């Protein structure tokens, strides 16, 4: 690339959205990608496509370790330069995975209050980590994960309308 060539969106490092279940990573990510005119990657969907099973089916017929191994294996492919990537809520807990995300992507934590998260996700089908867990237990899971989420390069208040959140995320990525 010559020194004068403009940096186009496709050459930016990927934008990796991280955060707890129900924080809006997929919805915000798809909107940011649409606004920026770049590809959108959803790591959960990549895992589902690879396994030929839904996330819930993977947990039910195999186990969480199998899901995590697929998630970890597909992570590098998801981090495509210029793309917006929604990572599953547990995808950055593995230290090697987190290092890869931190090195390759602009990581953005969508921080959403537990009240909002719980309203969105409780009773929702297809969320195996919620099965048999009380509200307090899910909140405790969020608290255990929060220190990792807080390591993201940027944190955005996700407790606002999706278009407002997406516009802010896009602005961060464009800066
Ligand atoms: C998980 C979050 C889910 C999915 C799986 C496990 C987690 O993705 O990867 O159910 O460990 O938090 P979303 O965060 O997109 O719901």
């Amino acid at each position: 690339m010559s020194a004068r060539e403009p940096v186009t969106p496709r050459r930016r490092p990927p934008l990796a959205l991280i955060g707890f279940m129900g924080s809006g990573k997929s919805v915000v990510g798809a909107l940011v990608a649409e606004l920026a005119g770049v590809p959108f990657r959803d790591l959960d969907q990549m895992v589902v496509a690879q396994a030929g099973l839904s996330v819930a089916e993977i947990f039910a017929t195999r186990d969480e370790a199998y899901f995590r191994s697929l998630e970890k294996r597909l992570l590098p492919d998801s981090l495509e330069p210029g793309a917006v990537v929604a990572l599953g809520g547990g995808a950055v807990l593995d230290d090697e995975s987190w290092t890869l995300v931190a090195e390759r992507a602009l990581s953005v934590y969508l921080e959403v209050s537990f009240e909002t998260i719980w309203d969105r996700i409780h009773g929702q089908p297809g969320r195996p980590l919620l099965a048999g867990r009380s509200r307090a237990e899910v909140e405790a899971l969020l608290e255990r994960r929060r220190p990792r989420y807080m390591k993201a390069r940027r944190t955005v208040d996700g407790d606002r309308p999706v278009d407002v959140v997406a516009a802010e995320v896009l602005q961060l990525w464009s800066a």
Side-chain angles (χ1 to χ4, degrees), residues 6-20:
V7 177
T8 63
R10 283 197 140 274
R11 293 197 180 85
R12 280 187 285 211
L15 173 79
L17 293 174
I18 72 171
F20 203 64

Side-chain angles (χ1 to χ4, degrees), residues 43-44 47-48 54-55 58-59 62-72 88 90-91:
L43 183 55
D44 276 345
V47 170
V48 165
S54 69
V55 172
I58 298 171
F59 274 70
R62 305 292 299 259
D63 55 13
E64 181 173 351
Y66 179 71
F67 175 82
R68 297 298 174 200
S69 70
L70 280 182
E71 190 178 46
K72 185 171 180 177

Side-chain angles (χ1 to χ4, degrees), residues 17-150:
L17 293 174
I18 72 171
F20 203 64
M21 290 173 273
S23 58
K25 302 177 296 288
S26 298
V27 176
V28 170
L31 183 53
V32 173
E34 189 188 328
L35 291 170
V38 301
F40 173 60
R41 303 275 175 261
D42 188 310
L43 183 55
D44 276 345
Q45 293 312 315
M46 293 173 68
V47 170
V48 165
Q50 174 75 34
L53 298 167
S54 69
V55 172
E57 285 167 344
I58 298 171
F59 274 70
T61 62
R62 305 292 299 259
D63 55 13
E64 181 173 351
Y66 179 71
F67 175 82
R68 297 298 174 200
S69 70
L70 280 182
E71 190 178 46
K72 185 171 180 177
R73 176 143 56 84
L74 294 169
L75 175 68
D77 288 346
S78 76
L79 298 173
E80 185 190 321
V84 178
V85 190
L87 300 177
V92 293
L93 303 177
D94 175 84
D95 288 342
E96 284 175 1
S97 295
W98 169 246
T99 300
L100 189 76
V101 172
E103 283 175 0
R104 283 214 199 153
L106 172 65
S107 51
V108 175
Y109 170 32
L110 286 190
E111 187 173 39
V112 175
S113 66
F114 182 71
E115 284 64 34
T116 303
I117 286 176
W118 182 252
D119 280 352
R120 287 180 186 168
I121 66 175
H122 85 275
Q124 249 188 14
R127 295 198 177 276
L129 283 189
L130 297 183
R133 279 197 164 105
S134 67
R135 187 185 198 281
E137 286 167 337
V138 176
E139 187 167 16
L141 183 63
L142 169 61
E143 291 312 319
R144 281 202 299 282
R145 290 178 171 189
R146 194 192 295 278
R148 175 54 52 90
Y149 296 152
M150 292 300 294

